[in-house]
Amino acid sequence: MGIRYIHTMVRVKDLDKSIAFYELLGLKERRRSENEKGRFTLVFLCPPEQDDGTADVELTYNWDGDEGLPSDSRHFGHLAYTVPDIYEMCQHLMDNGVTINRPPRDGNMAFVRSPDNVSIELLQQGDPKPPQEPWASMENTGHW
């Protein structure tokens, strides 16, 4: 199906300390995104030899804090993969008994969980697909 690994996301309590730690490991900041509306910062780090986005760690920092960290196990967020056709992939997963926790209502993003409860983000390769049923009106199930 053309699936491609893109990153692993971890939530962090102190962005500067976390960046310093990953830099000690030899990673470098590849890109950063500040989201005023969502009140969070995303920092993508990678090994210097892999600055093409194939081995990123995404640090997610919530501006208003995340007091449960690190004890509530929310520090590990999700694995993320791009897929050639998000609707086809979600249908394939549903046909095989996988619950779509966050349907691809926007034609771009969905979340599912592994049998071990690991959250997996699926992103449409390239531009989002036009919204279509049954996805456009499908409600969330559980959490991701």
Side-chain angles (χ1 to χ4, degrees):
M1 291 200 146
I3 192 167
R4 182 175 170 254
Y5 171 82
I6 56 174
H7 69 257
T8 297
M9 183 273 266
V10 292
R11 287 181 180 84
V12 300
K13 192 168 186 166
D14 184 317
L15 187 58
D16 293 332
K17 280 185 180 178
S18 294
I19 289 171
F21 169 77
Y22 286 99
E23 286 176 343
L24 285 173
L25 292 176
L27 302 184
K28 68 173 189 172
E29 185 172 325
R30 189 174 72 79
R31 70 182 169 97
R32 181 182 291 240
S33 172
E34 306 263 338
N35 187 306
E36 293 279 336
K37 184 178 177 188
R39 302 193 46 74
F40 62 86
T41 299
L42 305 178
V43 176
F44 293 83
L45 299 109
C46 66
E49 307 79 30
Q50 291 180 284
D51 62 357
D52 59 355
T54 61
D56 283 352
V57 172
E58 171 192 325
L59 304 183
T60 298
Y61 173 71
N62 293 309
W63 298 354
D64 297 323
D66 205 336
E67 292 306 314
L69 291 178
S71 63
D72 72 354
S73 299
R74 284 182 23 91
H75 56 282
F76 176 80
H78 60 261
L79 299 176
Y81 296 92
T82 60
V83 296
D85 186 319
I86 195 150
Y87 296 140
E88 181 182 321
M89 176 59 83
C90 287
Q91 188 62 58
H92 170 71
L93 293 170
M94 279 182 44
D95 291 348
N96 285 279
V98 175
T99 300
I100 308 300
N101 300 104
R102 194 276 193 199
R105 289 183 292 274
D106 56 3
N108 188 55
M109 179 179 66
F111 277 89
V112 298
R113 286 199 173 252
S114 78
D116 297 304
N117 214 25
V118 173
S119 187
I120 311 292
E121 178 182 22
L122 302 171
L123 294 166
Q124 173 63 40
Q125 290 174 5
D127 293 332
K129 298 180 86 55
Q132 71 181 48
E133 294 300 338
W135 315 107
S137 60
M138 190 179 287
E139 295 292 322
N140 292 341
T141 301
H143 62 282
W144 56 91

